[in-house]
Amino acid sequence: MGLQQHLILIGPMGAGKSTIGRCISESLKSEFIDLDKLIEERAGASIPWIFDIEGEEGFRERESQALAHSLDLPSCIIATGGGCILRPENREALSSRGFVVYLSASIEQQLERTSKDKNRPLLQSDDPAIVLARLAKIRIPLYQMVCHLEIDTNAKPPRMVVEEILQFIQVEHDENIKC
Ligand code: S3P
């Protein structure tokens, strides 16, 4: 028996959504969609380029379209970008069309996991900690509003987070989790 509905990962930058999503998809042998990658493929351009040329609004429009497209596919694992919960229509689509897991992470963990990254336009600032704290204040209530399950990822290896999710959803999976 495979997935009965989409399994959707939400949460801030550096929560581990892509790593955990890929690992779950291997363990369930289900398709994995990384929304940021899909946006780049559909645009034929990188996320920094889209932000540069079209602004954040242009990116958000592409993000909503990619999400709607993914939710129309057969049940799969979807890792969203950290701001995907900003638009009310995305929140409605997320919570009604799949099982939504919120991966939470402290600002310190997020900084540690994103420090070398040049691909996240919102973090190309002199003080990414302040940016992350400002985003968290607005977004945490939205993540919590949309999710069906919240998992704290702080100081946990990805495998442990994957095990918690698989245990909760009780879908038949490969016991040998590799991540
Ligand atoms: C963003 C998060 C990024 C990406 C874009 C904007 C955000 O995805 O969608 O840079 O607004 O938090 P990750 O959460 O996968 O880093």
Side-chain angles (χ1 to χ4, degrees):
M1 198 187 66
L3 272 182
Q4 299 297 300
Q5 58 179 340
H6 295 301
L7 175 64
I8 304 164
L9 303 177
I10 64 170
M13 294 178 267
K17 301 176 299 273
S18 301
T19 307
I20 287 160
R22 199 173 312 108
C23 181
I24 294 181
S25 104
E26 277 167 23
S27 168
L28 296 184
K29 305 196 178 14
S30 291
E31 197 190 336
F32 172 56
I33 296 179
D34 189 322
L35 214 58
D36 285 341
K37 290 236 166 67
L38 181 62
I39 294 165
E40 292 188 320
E41 276 166 29
R42 286 163 65 109
S46 70
I47 289 179
W49 189 92
I50 298 171
F51 267 75
D52 230 32
I53 305 298
E54 300 181 352
E56 182 169 349
E57 240 346 84
F59 173 77
R60 296 295 167 211
E61 192 50 44
R62 290 180 180 277
E63 185 175 49
S64 293
Q65 286 168 9
L67 176 66
H69 167 82
S70 308
L71 291 173
D72 279 341
L73 298 173
S75 297
C76 58
I77 323 288
I78 304 172
T80 60
C84 194
I85 41 63
L86 288 172
R87 288 193 167 185
E89 69 264 31
N90 291 355
R91 294 202 291 276
E92 162 62 24
L94 287 163
S95 61
S96 63
R97 302 199 46 201
F99 183 75
V100 182
V101 181
Y102 164 30
L103 301 178
S104 66
S106 67
I107 306 291
E108 293 69 33
Q109 274 288 335
Q110 287 181 257
L111 281 172
E112 211 175 287
R113 294 178 185 151
T114 58
S115 62
K116 292 186 189 72
D117 191 278
K118 293 272 170 286
N119 220 27
R120 291 178 169 104
L122 298 177
L123 297 186
Q124 306 316 305
S125 132
D126 288 342
D127 199 339
I130 290 185
V131 175
L132 288 171
R134 187 173 47 78
L135 295 178
K137 198 161 174 234
I138 298 165
R139 295 177 177 186
I140 288 174
L142 303 178
Y143 294 132
Q144 288 176 332
M145 189 191 290
V146 165
C147 76
H148 303 107
L149 171 69
E150 175 173 345
I151 296 186
D152 178 352
T153 68
N154 290 307
K156 279 185 200 158
R159 190 181 41 75
M160 204 186 263
V161 178
V162 169
E163 273 167 4
E164 274 184 50
I165 295 173
L166 291 176
Q167 215 162 43
F168 194 91
I169 62 173
Q170 297 203 322
V171 174
E172 211 173 291
H173 60 271
D174 187 346
E175 295 294 332
N176 187 11
I177 295 167
K178 295 183 212 78
C179 60

